[in-house]
Amino acid sequence: TYAEKTITLYKFGHKFVASYEVIRRMRINTLAVHLQKIGTRLRRDMVYEAYQTLVNGDGNSNPAPVFDQPTLDYNDFVDFFMEFKNYEPRIWVGDKATVAAILKLSEFKDPQAGFNFQRTGQMISPIGITLRRFDDVAANSLVGVDNRSALEQINETGSQLVEAEKVIDKQYEDAVISQVSGFAKIYTEACRIWDYTND
């Protein structure tokens, strides 16, 4: 059986404003770069909301469980991995300092891993799990996620809009790209937080 849940939806959007002259003289590939930047900002806003939902819950008393271990070493890494009893973490997410500390652990300084990092720029994958940097993650913490079971995105039907208007007296055109979405936890235990704050 499924219990009823209350999910909050948010409107994510960005506005693009330019004069007629700028738009007329701008090359298509340059305009594409600006639109891609807007899309990146929109996705970042949505990722932030997804992170907040994973960590704090979706308003239905389901925050992520916390693994409290005040050191960040290989043994604790294995212990944190083992906390996922019925799930398989596929992504580790941390801020700049946490990701850097992980990359510097001696156990992850394997020559082949280091070679791949230097050759491709792809970060190592501790215990076979993808490592991602997201600076909005709380300091001294690492979030482990089974992205198949932790979260679902809910989109309002017909909410993806690209709207534009011309303001003739000021000779500019603006466009707004927006989407109404929210996130809901599927299984609370599919996301866990490792708090390694040194008390």
Side-chain angles (χ1 to χ4, degrees):
T1 61
Y2 292 94
E4 290 188 8
K5 298 175 70 175
T6 301
I7 305 301
T8 302
L9 298 179
Y10 299 92
K11 187 167 189 176
F12 301 93
H14 283 279
K15 184 177 182 180
F16 176 80
V17 180
S19 69
Y20 293 169
E21 288 80 6
V22 168
I23 293 174
R24 187 174 68 248
R25 295 168 183 160
M26 187 179 295
R27 295 171 58 179
I28 294 297
N29 59 340
T30 304
L31 179 60
V33 169
H34 290 302
L35 293 175
Q36 288 173 354
K37 187 69 173 177
I38 291 171
T40 299
R41 290 177 181 171
L42 195 60
R43 284 194 304 272
R44 181 175 177 80
D45 292 343
M46 296 177 77
V47 167
Y48 175 80
E49 190 55 44
Y51 163 74
Q52 291 293 331
T53 302
L54 282 170
V55 171
N56 300 314
D58 56 19
N60 294 283
S61 301
N62 52 3
V66 176
F67 173 71
D68 192 2
Q69 179 60 266
T71 55
L72 181 66
D73 62 25
Y74 184 78
N75 291 336
D76 293 328
F77 229 112
V78 173
D79 290 341
F80 182 50
F81 177 81
M82 299 305 293
E83 289 288 305
F84 290 81
K85 182 179 179 182
N86 296 314
Y87 302 95
E88 181 183 337
R90 296 191 160 208
I91 302 173
W92 302 126
V93 186
D95 68 357
K96 175 183 176 181
T98 296
V99 170
I102 291 169
L103 291 172
K104 294 174 183 176
L105 288 175
S106 60
E107 289 83 359
F108 298 139
K109 289 182 179 178
D110 173 80
Q112 185 62 39
F115 173 73
N116 287 334
F117 182 46
Q118 294 168 15
R119 183 175 58 88
T120 67
Q122 293 293 317
M123 289 187 287
I124 61 168
S125 183
I127 320 178
I129 300 169
T130 302
L131 180 63
R132 290 282 183 258
R133 173 182 170 180
F134 186 61
D135 288 338
D136 289 310
V137 174
N140 299 319
S141 67
L142 183 71
V143 180
V145 184
D146 184 338
N147 59 341
R148 301 163 301 175
S149 307
L151 197 67
E152 70 171 320
Q153 182 177 347
I154 299 167
N155 297 317
E156 185 177 89
T157 303
S159 69
Q160 296 177 332
L161 296 174
V162 178
E163 301 171 290
E165 71 171 346
K166 290 185 177 181
V167 181
I168 295 173
D169 62 336
K170 295 183 179 178
Q171 293 197 326
Y172 70 76
E173 184 168 348
D174 60 4
V176 176
I177 302 170
S178 65
Q179 177 175 332
V180 177
S181 293
F183 296 91
K185 298 284 283 282
I186 302 175
Y187 292 106
T188 302
E189 302 290 323
C191 173
R192 291 177 175 273
I193 302 166
W194 177 1
D195 182 355
Y196 65 92
T197 304
N198 291 313
D199 299 325

